Amino acid sequence: MADPQSNAPSRADAGAPTSGVIHVRTRLTADFTVISNALAQRRGSAVTVGVAAYISSLPDGSSVTIPALCKHFSEGEILISRALRELEAAGYLERRRERTSTGHVRTRTYFYDVPGGDPDTEPDPDPDGPPEPPKPRGPRKQGAAAAAVTPASAPAEEMVAAPAPAPAPAEAEAPVPLVDADPRAVAVLAGLRRVDPRLILSAQETARLAPAVARWLAAGLLPTHITDHLTARLPDYFLTRPVGILAYRLKETPLPVPATSAKPAARPMVVPLRNCDGCDRAFRSAEPGRCRDCRAGDPLRAAG
C-alpha cells in the first residue's frame, strides 16, 4: 500500500512573521544612502520624508532650492516649501547667510543626518575664502519649552532675548471687506484664473487688491488692459503666493485715457458735379454755369 501523500503547503519558518511586510535584504556596495530610522519613520507628511531622503542622496554642492526640487518631484512648490520648513523646524535643514573674507554674503544650506549633529565634512574652499563653519543647533523650541531646556549655568552674554515681532501694518489689521469692494474690480481679479490657472486668489487677497484695480478702472482703462498687464511675463515658478506679484504691478500709477470729443468732426462738403452749359463737360461747382475754360474763352471771342 502506498504511503499517504499530503498536498498541503509546507509550514513556514518559525521565525518568519505571519502578517505584515517581510524584508528581502540585499547588501549594497555602491549608489546607496544611509538615513536614520528617526527620519525615515517620521510621522507626518510623506513629502517631507521623501524630500529629506532625496537631499541626503545628493552630492555636496547640489542645488536644493524650491525650483530645483520642483523639477525633480511632481508635487508643486507649496508642498515642497512646506516640507523644507518642516525639516528646518525639526533641525535637519539649516540655511545660513555667511560673509566671506572678501565681504560677499552668500546663503549656505546644511543638511544634518541627526538634528543638532556636527557635519561630517567641512565646506569646500572657494576663491573668496572659506566661510566660518556653522555651529550645530538643535530643533527649534517655542515658549516655555525653550525656557525649560535652557541650562541655568549658561553665561548671561550667551542668552540673547528674541526681538519683539514688528507690528503688522494697519492695512493688514483691518482689511477692506470684500462686500465693500468695487464689483468690477472683483470681477477682473476673479477672471485672472482663466488666463493663468495659478492666479487663484482668496477673498482676503481679492479685497486687498480690489482698491488698486478700481483706481485703474477709474483712470479709464478697460478690464482687458488690466488683465493683460497683470498676466504678462509671469515667472515659471511662484516662490510665494501670486498676490505679491500682482500687488507690485498694481503699484504703478495708470496713465489716464486721453479725453476724446463726443461729437465727431464735420466732414468737408463735397462739391457736386455740373455739366458745362458751353461745352457740356463735367466740372464741380456749387452753382450751375460754365466751366473754367469756357469762362476764360469768352473775352477772346468777344475781342475777335
Side-chain angles (χ1 to χ4, degrees), residues 261-304:
S261 177
K263 183 179 180 180
R267 298 180 60 183
M269 184 181 62
V270 178
V271 180
L273 287 172
R274 308 283 184 179
N275 289 334
C276 177
D277 295 340
C279 62
D280 201 28
R281 186 175 61 178
F283 71 101
R284 293 187 180 276
S285 175
E287 300 293 336
R290 294 188 176 188
C291 64
R292 180 175 55 186
D293 294 338
C294 292
R295 290 196 303 268
D298 289 343
L300 296 179
R301 288 195 296 267

Side-chain angles (χ1 to χ4, degrees), residues 1 24 30 37 50 56 58 67 70 81 84 103 113 116 129 133 144 148 158 167 202 234 270:
M1 186 174 183
V24 181
N37 288 341
S56 299
L58 295 177
C70 287
S81 60
L84 293 177
D113 294 336
E158 294 183 0
S202 64
L234 290 175
V270 178

Side-chain angles (χ1 to χ4, degrees), residues 131-261:
E132 183 180 0
K135 298 179 181 179
R137 64 180 185 182
R140 297 180 181 176
K141 295 179 175 59
Q142 302 176 354
V149 298
T150 303
S153 59
E157 58 272 10
E158 294 183 0
M159 302 174 60
V160 181
E171 296 180 0
E173 294 178 358
V176 179
L178 186 59
V179 293
D180 297 339
D182 190 345
R184 298 182 303 162
V186 175
V188 171
L189 295 172
L192 296 178
R193 69 177 68 182
R194 300 194 188 102
V195 181
D196 193 329
R198 300 175 298 171
L199 301 180
I200 299 178
L201 303 176
S202 64
Q204 184 178 3
E205 293 171 345
T206 304
R208 172 187 171 187
L209 300 177
V213 177
R215 185 170 63 252
W216 284 59
L217 292 172
L221 276 78
L222 297 176
T224 54
H225 297 163
I226 302 176
T227 301
D228 294 341
H229 176 72
L230 296 179
T231 57
R233 300 182 303 276
L234 290 175
D236 296 335
Y237 297 97
F238 289 152
L239 300 182
T240 57
R241 293 284 296 171
V243 63
I245 298 178
L246 301 179
Y248 178 79
R249 293 188 174 187
L250 288 171
K251 285 183 179 180
E252 302 177 5
T253 303
L255 294 177
V257 177
T260 57
S261 177

